[in-house]
Amino acid sequence: MTVVHCAPVAPVIGDHDGNRRRVLTAIGSAVAAGAQVIVLPELATCGYAFTDVAEARAAGIAADDPLFADWSRAAGPAVVVGGFAELGDDGELYNSAAMVDASGVLAVYRKTHLWDREKLLFRPGDSAPPIVHTGHGRIGLLICYDLEFPEVTRNLAERGAELIAAPVNWPLVDRPDGEHPPETVIAMAAARTNRLCFAICDRSGTERDITWTGGSTTITADGWPQGPIADLDLSLSRNKWLSPHNHALNDRRLSF
């Protein structure tokens, strides 16, 4: 079993030092509680609701920023995944996520599917989401809106991911009383159809004019949500057999 903690933080736009402390406190608390995989929200280092490109760029950091050495030291035996605004070597700004452990930065992924006003602030990434073979399983990276494209989650399943770690910022939308957020329903379906575990860390509260869903959750390979902290059996992600005669990936018929 792998102990997975989704660790929400509430960054404040413009408060760079405060955001660093908030993230390190969240990582430290999760490690102290026994977490082996820790997932932070999208843009956890800086906040989300930027007014313009200038404000967003002011929050940007490079993928080799010393901040990630701080994450690495705080991670201890755990793997940490969290979102940040990345200033690329090409001068562009990306909505990115870093995966870090005690050895340093393991991977950086640039969000490929930008939501709403993100298209005015960020450049979309153009590389496939990475899968990293860590001491706690084969972890794939996605960010928020990426989860809503079945081709993307299927691609990670086909490439051998055992857990998809996804920093997200889900704006609250209307839904019937008692129902899961629609984004959670999509992730549950993706988990079940791909036989693949998920860890999704969302924001809560409000930021400027956005109210967040607070939808942090882990999801088993059977598609059942477990809440923001859970022991996940990632070995189930390696078994795609649904019955003695049915395989989640091999049964697809794409020749028509």
Side-chain angles (χ1 to χ4, degrees), residues 101-254:
D101 70 3
S103 68
V105 176
L106 303 175
V108 172
Y109 166 66
R110 294 169 172 173
K111 186 177 184 179
T112 55
H113 301 88
L114 300 180
W115 173 256
D116 198 23
R117 291 189 69 255
E118 291 174 35
K119 293 187 175 184
L120 306 178
L121 305 173
F122 300 102
R123 181 182 180 90
D126 57 9
S127 298
I131 298 172
V132 181
H133 193 175
T134 76
H136 302 300
R138 291 176 55 84
I139 302 175
L141 285 180
L142 292 178
I143 302 172
C144 204
Y145 190 38
D146 290 329
L147 291 167
E148 301 196 26
F149 294 85
E151 303 90 340
V152 179
T153 49
R154 176 54 56 95
N155 174 269
L156 286 172
E158 290 178 323
R159 289 163 51 207
E162 298 168 349
L163 173 71
I164 291 179
V168 308
N169 282 175
W170 287 343
L172 185 65
V173 298
D174 291 337
R175 63 181 189 267
D177 290 344
E179 292 290 346
H180 292 294
E183 299 93 342
T184 303
V185 174
I186 291 168
M188 290 168 61
R192 190 170 184 87
T193 57
N194 290 297
R195 294 283 297 173
L196 183 57
C197 296
F198 283 71
I200 300 167
C201 188
D202 189 20
R203 293 274 300 275
S204 59
T206 61
E207 182 182 52
R208 292 182 170 169
D209 60 344
I210 300 176
T211 299
W212 304 113
T213 298
S216 294
T217 188
T218 57
I219 304 174
T220 68
D222 292 321
W224 301 119
Q226 303 296 297
I229 299 173
D231 294 349
L232 294 180
D233 187 352
L234 302 191
S235 70
L236 297 178
S237 295
R238 298 192 290 272
N239 178 11
K240 306 300 184 184
W241 287 99
L242 307 175
S243 81
H245 305 287
N246 296 102
H247 190 278
L249 303 183
N250 295 343
D251 278 356
R252 289 175 302 158
R253 299 180 63 199
L254 300 176

Side-chain angles (χ1 to χ4, degrees), residues 23 40-46 68 71 81-85 95-98 143 167:
V23 168
L40 304 162
E42 181 179 8
L43 297 175
T45 62
C46 57
F68 299 113
W71 288 21
V81 174
F84 70 106
N95 183 340
S96 297
I143 302 172

